[in-house]
Amino acid sequence: MAGIEQDLFSHVETLFPLCRSITGEGLRRTLRYIGEHIPLECREVPTGTPVLDWEVPKEWVVRGARIRRMNGETVVDFVRNNLHLLQYSHPVDAIVTREELDRHLHSLPDRPGLVPYRTAYHADTWGFCLSHEARMALTDPAYRVEVDTELRDGSLSYGECWLPADAPDEPPKDAPGGAPGGAPGDVLVSIHCCHPSLANDNLSAIAVAIELARALARRSARRFGYRFLFIPGTIGAITWLARNRDVARQVRHGLVLSCLGDAGAPTYKQSRRGDAPIDRIVGHVLRARGLAGRVLPFVPYGYDERQYCSPGFNLPVGCLMRSPNGSFPEYHTSADNLAFVQPAALADSLALLGEIVELIETDATWRNTSPYGEPQLGRRRLYSRIGGQTDPGALPGGFDQLTLLWVLNLSDGQHSLLDIAERSGKPFEAVAAAARALRETGLLELAPPATLASGRTVG
Ligand code: ZN
């Protein structure tokens, strides 16, 4: 296993045993672990706090849960697998008939060996999840049920990692720079952290996000600020949005990350807008990998893109996955375990996010400073270097003559580098390298924001 694969997998492995939920100690311990690796501000929002149309729920405390036969033999135990307890079960200590117990059991008849993951955040009930095989074996007339839990006034926890952009008055040397007068905005990366012992959904995304944030923290220059949210699903995103309406307005690109560790190919679900820059950027990166078919349109279902893309916010936030939620038989079952997550897939997801970040950071709209006729490239030691070659192949830096000509022709203040890459069919990296070379000669300058085509540019 390569170093980065080892690092990613060890995050998944370490966090796997914890019993996370939308509130409580398992979630807090997960955030503390994340905070040992990246700068993380942990927030606590008290039970009962109104958040948008919702309210922060009571905190769920779990000490144990089991089903015992009347002779004392334990048949189902939370200690063996935390999926066994229906999340948010209220406490119970009772002897119940087989029929009464069965009304509180959840199993999967079509996958009889697997334990399902079920929640009842708002149902005020108790329940157990078990394999269908184990359920069929419960034939005694009565059982003793012990659920040692507590629903109490506490708080909802989430973590925020903020990596600011470089100060606008100190433009990064090799980056094209942002809009004059301020940083171009924020990139939001949102990861749900509320699932118990499930590896792909959601520990894979936590692991990849930790390493992505570490890489971004080390990056010599950041044109954008990056905000990582480690939050409980749905209620966490709603809580963050309720408390950060102004911050949300700064989001220029956003990604919800989930299911990034299975062997499936990467999948991108577009934002509600469908044509936001992030949709074009991730679409471009996946097409370059031959994965055009793995771009899916927005649907108001899935992960926290549901909240970020609600009509009042309508943020440019898509969702990056490998196999989409619900599309694999291991999803939300005990088979989504450590054996299901592939270290190489985790590393590939991280590499893919690296390409997406590179595009976010590099894309910009330039203007040809000599747009009347083709500028004389030979005098600037550009054309001669290419024109003399029989193969109009690469200059050092990796672009050919045609790429250079495309960049010069389309840099009219209306076309971004991504526009140029898409229209020319040239790789984005080659287009960006050509733009860098042209900028060094003074033939390109950043287009002032006023001339940018609306909605077509990064920043
Ligand atoms: Zn899930």
Side-chain angles (χ1 to χ4, degrees), residues 117 192 195 201 303 331-332:
Y117 160 60
H192 65 284
H195 288 27
D201 177 19
Y303 295 107
Y331 176 73
H332 280 190

Side-chain angles (χ1 to χ4, degrees), residues 4 8 11 33-41 159-164 187-191 204-222 224-230 257 260 349-351 353-354 357:
I4 189 65
L8 287 159
H11 297 317
Y33 174 85
I34 297 167
E36 288 166 15
H37 296 86
I38 56 175
L40 195 74
E41 297 276 350
E160 232 174 328
C161 167
W162 169 236
L163 302 170
V187 179
L188 180 77
V189 184
S190 180
I191 306 98
S204 65
I206 295 175
V208 170
I210 289 172
E211 293 303 326
L212 179 64
R214 286 173 97 174
L216 278 163
R218 286 193 300 264
R219 195 185 165 94
S220 62
R222 287 187 301 267
F224 286 82
Y226 289 80
R227 187 178 306 280
F228 288 77
L229 298 182
F230 296 90
L257 304 182
L260 290 173
S349 299
L350 180 63
L353 279 158
V357 163

Side-chain angles (χ1 to χ4, degrees), residues 320-355:
L320 190 70
M321 303 163 276
R322 298 187 80 87
S323 296
N325 50 302
S327 73
F328 48 96
E330 295 84 357
Y331 176 73
H332 280 190
T333 75
S334 51
D336 182 358
N337 55 29
L338 292 174
F340 183 57
V341 165
Q342 311 287 310
L346 293 169
D348 182 64
S349 299
L350 180 63
L352 177 68
L353 279 158
E355 289 171 39

Side-chain angles (χ1 to χ4, degrees), residues 265-268 283 286-287 289-297:
T267 306
Y268 175 67
L286 289 186
R287 269 197 306 283
R289 285 178 164 221
L291 296 171
R294 303 288 289 191
V295 177
L296 309 175

